[in-house]
Amino acid sequence: MDIIKELEEAKKMDASFENILGSMCTMPHKIAIKAYEMFIETNLGDYELFKGTKWIEDKAIKWVAKFMHAPPSYAGLLTSGGTESNITALWIFKKLGKKREVLVPKQAHFSFMKASSILDLKLNVVDSKYFMKGKDVRKKISGKTACVVAIAGNTPFGYIDEIEEIAEICNDENVFLHVDAAFGGFIAPFVSKKIFDFRAKISSLCIDAHKMGMACIPCGFLLLRNKEWIEEIKVKSRCTHTKFQAGLLGTRPGASAASAYAVMNYLGYKGYEKIAKECMENTEYLAILLDKNGIDYFDYELNLIAIRSNKAVDVAKKLADMKWFVGIDEENKIIRIVLMPHVRKDIIDKFVTDLRKVI
Amino acid sequence: MDIIKELEEAKKMDASFENILGSMCTMPHKIAIKAYEMFIETNLGDYELFKGTKWIEDKAIKWVAKFMHAPPSYAGLLTSGGTESNITALWIFKKLGKKREVLVPKQAHFSFMKASSILDLKLNVVDSKYFMKGKDVRKKISGKTACVVAIAGNTPFGYIDEIEEIAEICNDENVFLHVDAAFGGFIAPFVSKKIFDFRAKISSLCIDAHKMGMACIPCGFLLLRNKEWIEEIKVKSRCTHTKFQAGLLGTRPGASAASAYAVMNYLGYKGYEKIAKECMENTEYLAILLDKNGIDYFDYELNLIAIRSNKAVDVAKKLADMKWFVGIDEENKIIRIVLMPHVRKDIIDKFVTDLRKVI
């Protein structure tokens, strides 16, 4: 079939994961792919038809809720990923609080800019250095604040905001706190002592299975402390067999739920822990190599190393010419290496050899 | 592996497509599944890494644009489906027009209720009988109108609004017109003479590949008449290799693009035409059987038959007990049969035999 050949040709133009060092996505686990394929035709936008798939989705949500220490009152949504989760959380809190200002750390993901544009929310950017502290929030929070956003594993540095302290402040001030753990959610519990989940007084949390959760794209989760909040965004459907829908999207792949649940079940907490520790080992391995070569970098907290460079764009371009794809952050003058499960020690060796030539 | 057994058990609880008569989704084409599997790890949220996948996405968008007669100035987005497309269109038109009222026909999909809630838009519902006419719009359109929504293949009846005429009115009044062809887009061109695409003076159009396009979920397209409009929703990314993103979501499956393009390429216009005609043949076949059995239904325009029933919920429940899943519309007192490609004549025979017993 000609089309298969054409697709194969196209595929050759894609970067290989062997060379992708700056992405928070990775090769899905083989069991995730198998499960995705089994459920490829299912539609959770009309789950009355796909009761088995819905059952699997519920199990996946329950797994994540337990993992994130959600209280019994929680509600969970399976989403297409962090952007949808973040927009949905802010949508709910805007409806609940009738206020329009959101405090976000300087390091917040650009999905909050989308949320601001769509929801007509004003982003009040906290000038947090590297990560957001309780005192930063205390200074800015006010009667106008609809919601505070904190991050577990921020994009530039992989740092975790002072979430326990921020949660106390938000709780005192009666302001919602949304935690963006899209990246950190599936690694921080295993390698950091910081509490960023529902054990702190947070209102909601997003966590992506298609990042460190090793499920297939598209798959994230949004957890809410109080299931009643979901009523704010429920819409009646008169065309699907399912009478109400809560969530941004309509038709959505049941395969995502199967894929995420399959990995959760197959790996379990222990399996994820093993992967997380391996990633941190590789992060340390990279750090040692950088030290040896006199290459400067920021302290790391999760499996992400921000290498200092005044010529980040230039260095990244030269690396790209050698087929290495790293994250670039001009503002912070860094190139970012995310030590995802596909970034093994032999890859790190080769990369540092090339990096030395151009930095 | 235990998890595979568990997934297999779950799958048994799902309805089989042999029994799904009220959904606008269908079993994806085998080439769509093959292509999806080939690209399962790709992320179009960061397409600088996946240039081959992006190339395929561009081809798919181009195919759809040509199919819908988009002018050279067009822009296209691959989306997760109609809901995302509809929300995005209204997001853009709100930004462009700075107005907050949207005219929608009574038959509009519930995604417009979501859009209204998210975007703070006021839906001004046109009390259109069965489908929306030019005169309905002329009565309601005003200086406050940000956008008019018209449908090609509405949910209750599968009818096409008077889009050419409505487009003239919108053009005269300088109001954007968004066409929701999520369902009708891949069938109406082959079985109806009505013009609903860019040959009429419409502003934007959504069309779902995961409905009659036979691609895997999630896959829809949003086409805009003017590529400059996309600037309204562009957001700068500092974490991905791709510098700007325009679109609601972040990380998104490249597999969707591959899946849709594979079917387009494999079937081509002629192949889609054949499927469309077969669906219409089956629709006619059902109509004749209903006639023979004295069962009353609305005239059909596309591959959807709305069967009249004062006890729609009751009848649908009895049918569900016999494992037939039909659409229910209490308000219009109908049960809806969508003659998707998986609904063959032998299925129709069995269904009507059972329907006679309960209607």
Side-chain angles (χ1 to χ4, degrees):
Chain A
M1 277 170 287
D2 287 348
I3 176 64
I4 298 300
K5 271 188 206 141
E6 189 176 342
L7 292 175
E8 278 165 356
E9 283 307 308
K11 203 105 208 287
K12 288 181 196 157
M13 293 157 60
D14 283 352
S16 152
F17 272 110
E18 303 264 310
N19 296 102
I20 297 180
L21 306 182
S23 174
M24 285 172 173
C25 288
T26 191
M27 196 65 200
H29 194 285
K30 65 179 191 303
I31 201 84
I33 295 174
K34 169 90 179 145
Y36 201 100
E37 292 175 1
M38 283 176 72
F39 285 74
I40 200 149
E41 81 286 9
T42 61
N43 171 19
L44 277 173
D46 201 357
Y47 55 75
E48 283 296 323
L49 296 177
F50 299 98
K51 287 187 172 139
T53 310
K54 176 65 183 153
W55 186 60
I56 294 294
E57 181 183 44
D58 289 343
K59 286 188 185 205
I61 292 171
K62 204 177 266 182
W63 196 99
V64 172
K66 193 180 167 202
F67 185 43
M68 292 291 108
H69 302 274
S73 59
Y74 87 95
L77 294 176
L78 193 148
T79 69
S80 60
T83 297
E84 184 191 341
S85 299
N86 289 335
I87 293 172
T88 305
L90 266 50
W91 177 20
I92 292 172
F93 296 143
K94 184 181 94 169
K95 290 275 168 197
L96 279 168
K98 321 256 182 234
K99 292 173 189 173
R100 296 206 172 255
E101 196 175 289
V102 179
L103 292 197
V104 296
K106 202 172 142 188
Q107 294 80 18
H109 185 253
F110 65 95
S111 54
F112 292 101
M113 287 164 66
K114 289 190 188 180
S116 155
S117 171
I118 295 165
L119 294 160
D120 285 318
L121 293 170
K122 193 192 156 214
L123 295 187
N124 190 340
V125 180
V126 176
D127 191 21
S128 44
K129 203 169 184 187
Y130 309 129
F131 63 94
M132 190 164 69
K133 295 170 195 69
K135 65 179 183 192
D136 299 329
V137 172
R138 201 179 292 278
K139 252 184 260 171
K140 285 252 184 181
I141 202 166
S142 80
K144 288 184 202 160
T145 315
C147 172
V148 174
V149 171
I151 317 172
N154 67 27
T155 310
F157 308 103
Y159 293 164
I160 302 172
D161 292 340
E162 285 183 3
I163 291 173
E164 269 195 286
E165 198 177 331
I166 294 167
E168 287 296 335
I169 297 165
C170 289
N171 191 58
D172 290 349
E173 300 284 335
N174 217 358
V175 165
F176 296 108
L177 172 60
H178 173 65
V179 172
D180 178 356
F183 173 57
F186 270 99
I187 180 151
F190 308 110
V191 302
S192 166
K193 288 209 159 35
K194 288 194 190 159
I195 287 174
F196 66 90
D197 57 29
F198 286 93
R199 287 172 294 174
K201 290 172 181 162
I202 69 169
S203 312
S204 60
L205 177 144
C206 92
I207 173 170
D208 274 5
H210 65 212
K211 293 191 171 90
M212 286 298 294
M214 300 195 75
C216 295
I217 296 169
C219 190
F221 294 87
L222 172 64
L223 298 171
L224 303 167
R225 180 174 288 279
N226 187 334
K227 65 165 79 79
E228 284 166 24
W229 296 345
I230 213 103
E231 298 299 320
E232 296 296 320
I233 59 163
K234 247 187 199 166
V235 163
K236 194 174 180 186
S237 161
R238 62 172 181 205
C239 63
T240 53
H241 302 77
T242 309
K243 288 300 131 214
F244 287 93
Q245 261 197 12
L248 198 61
L249 304 182
T251 296
R252 59 195 180 84
S256 293
S259 156
Y261 179 66
V263 193
M264 290 165 186
N265 186 293
Y266 185 80
L267 289 179
Y269 188 91
K270 287 282 168 203
Y272 278 123
E273 186 173 33
K274 188 163 172 278
I275 290 170
K277 298 231 153 138
E278 280 165 8
C279 287
M280 283 312 285
E281 240 181 72
N282 290 339
T283 307
E284 201 181 344
Y285 184 80
L286 171 60
I288 291 169
L289 272 187
L290 294 174
D291 285 339
K292 275 188 189 159
N293 286 283
I295 297 168
D296 201 13
Y297 58 91
F298 284 90
D299 287 343
Y300 58 89
E301 185 169 3
L302 299 178
N303 54 332
L304 188 162
I305 294 194
I307 298 173
R308 294 176 196 261
S309 169
N310 287 322
K311 305 168 293 175
V313 177
D314 189 43
V315 171
K317 211 188 150 299
K318 284 178 184 161
L319 287 169
D321 290 340
M322 294 188 273
K323 293 210 178 304
W324 294 113
F325 300 99
V326 300
I328 314 165
D329 187 331
E330 278 188 79
E331 202 185 320
N332 289 303
K333 295 181 179 166
I334 51 177
I335 60 175
R336 279 176 338 124
I337 310 299
V338 192
L339 285 297
M340 295 300 288
H342 66 270
V343 184
R344 303 177 316 264
K345 289 196 180 68
D346 59 312
I347 294 175
I348 298 169
D349 284 336
K350 283 185 217 157
F351 168 67
V352 175
T353 306
D354 281 343
L355 177 65
R356 283 175 53 189
K357 300 174 194 160
V358 297
I359 203 164
Chain B
M1 278 170 287
D2 287 348
I3 176 64
I4 299 299
K5 271 188 206 142
E6 190 176 342
L7 292 174
E8 278 165 357
E9 283 307 308
K11 203 104 208 287
K12 288 181 196 158
M13 294 158 60
D14 283 352
S16 152
F17 272 110
E18 303 264 311
N19 297 103
I20 297 180
L21 306 182
S23 174
M24 286 172 173
C25 288
T26 191
M27 196 65 199
H29 194 285
K30 65 179 191 302
I31 201 85
I33 295 175
K34 169 89 179 146
Y36 201 100
E37 291 175 1
M38 282 176 72
F39 285 74
I40 200 149
E41 80 286 9
T42 61
N43 171 19
L44 277 173
D46 201 357
Y47 55 74
E48 283 296 323
L49 296 177
F50 299 98
K51 288 187 171 139
T53 310
K54 177 64 184 153
W55 187 60
I56 293 295
E57 181 183 43
D58 289 343
K59 286 187 184 206
I61 292 171
K62 204 177 268 183
W63 196 99
V64 172
K66 193 180 167 201
F67 185 43
M68 292 291 108
H69 302 274
S73 59
Y74 87 95
L77 294 176
L78 192 148
T79 69
S80 60
T83 296
E84 184 191 342
S85 299
N86 289 335
I87 294 172
T88 305
L90 266 49
W91 177 20
I92 292 171
F93 296 142
K94 184 180 93 169
K95 290 276 168 197
L96 279 169
K98 320 257 182 234
K99 291 172 189 173
R100 295 205 171 256
E101 197 175 288
V102 178
L103 292 197
V104 296
K106 203 173 142 188
Q107 294 81 17
H109 184 253
F110 64 95
S111 54
F112 292 101
M113 288 164 65
K114 289 190 189 181
S116 154
S117 170
I118 295 165
L119 294 160
D120 285 318
L121 293 170
K122 193 191 156 215
L123 295 187
N124 190 340
V125 180
V126 177
D127 191 21
S128 44
K129 203 169 183 187
Y130 309 129
F131 63 94
M132 190 164 69
K133 294 169 196 70
K135 64 179 184 192
D136 298 330
V137 172
R138 202 179 292 279
K139 252 185 259 171
K140 284 251 183 182
I141 202 166
S142 80
K144 288 184 202 161
T145 315
C147 172
V148 174
V149 171
I151 318 173
N154 67 26
T155 310
F157 308 103
Y159 293 163
I160 303 171
D161 292 340
E162 285 182 2
I163 292 173
E164 269 194 286
E165 198 177 331
I166 294 166
E168 287 295 336
I169 297 165
C170 289
N171 191 57
D172 289 348
E173 300 284 336
N174 216 359
V175 165
F176 296 109
L177 172 61
H178 173 64
V179 172
D180 178 355
F183 173 58
F186 270 99
I187 180 151
F190 308 110
V191 302
S192 166
K193 289 210 159 34
K194 288 195 190 158
I195 286 175
F196 66 90
D197 57 29
F198 286 93
R199 287 172 294 175
K201 290 172 181 162
I202 69 169
S203 313
S204 61
L205 177 145
C206 91
I207 173 169
D208 274 4
H210 65 212
K211 292 191 171 91
M212 286 298 294
M214 299 195 76
C216 296
I217 295 169
C219 191
F221 294 87
L222 172 64
L223 298 171
L224 303 167
R225 180 174 288 279
N226 187 334
K227 65 165 79 78
E228 284 165 23
W229 296 345
I230 212 104
E231 298 299 320
E232 296 296 320
I233 60 163
K234 247 188 198 166
V235 163
K236 193 174 179 184
S237 161
R238 62 171 181 206
C239 63
T240 53
H241 303 76
T242 309
K243 288 300 131 213
F244 287 94
Q245 261 197 11
L248 198 62
L249 303 182
T251 296
R252 59 195 181 84
S256 293
S259 155
Y261 179 66
V263 192
M264 291 165 186
N265 186 293
Y266 185 80
L267 289 179
Y269 188 91
K270 287 282 167 203
Y272 277 123
E273 186 173 33
K274 188 163 172 277
I275 290 170
K277 297 229 153 139
E278 280 165 9
C279 287
M280 283 312 285
E281 240 182 72
N282 290 339
T283 306
E284 200 181 345
Y285 184 81
L286 171 59
I288 291 169
L289 272 187
L290 294 174
D291 284 339
K292 275 188 190 160
N293 286 283
I295 297 168
D296 201 12
Y297 58 91
F298 284 89
D299 287 342
Y300 57 90
E301 185 169 3
L302 299 179
N303 54 333
L304 188 162
I305 294 194
I307 298 173
R308 293 176 196 261
S309 169
N310 286 322
K311 305 167 293 175
V313 177
D314 189 43
V315 171
K317 212 189 150 299
K318 284 178 183 159
L319 287 169
D321 289 340
M322 293 189 273
K323 294 210 177 303
W324 294 113
F325 300 99
V326 299
I328 314 165
D329 187 331
E330 278 188 78
E331 202 185 321
N332 289 303
K333 295 181 179 167
I334 51 177
I335 60 174
R336 278 177 337 125
I337 310 298
V338 191
L339 286 297
M340 295 300 288
H342 66 270
V343 184
R344 302 178 315 263
K345 289 196 180 67
D346 59 312
I347 294 175
I348 297 169
D349 284 336
K350 284 186 215 155
F351 168 67
V352 175
T353 306
D354 281 344
L355 177 65
R356 284 175 54 190
K357 300 174 193 159
V358 297
I359 203 163

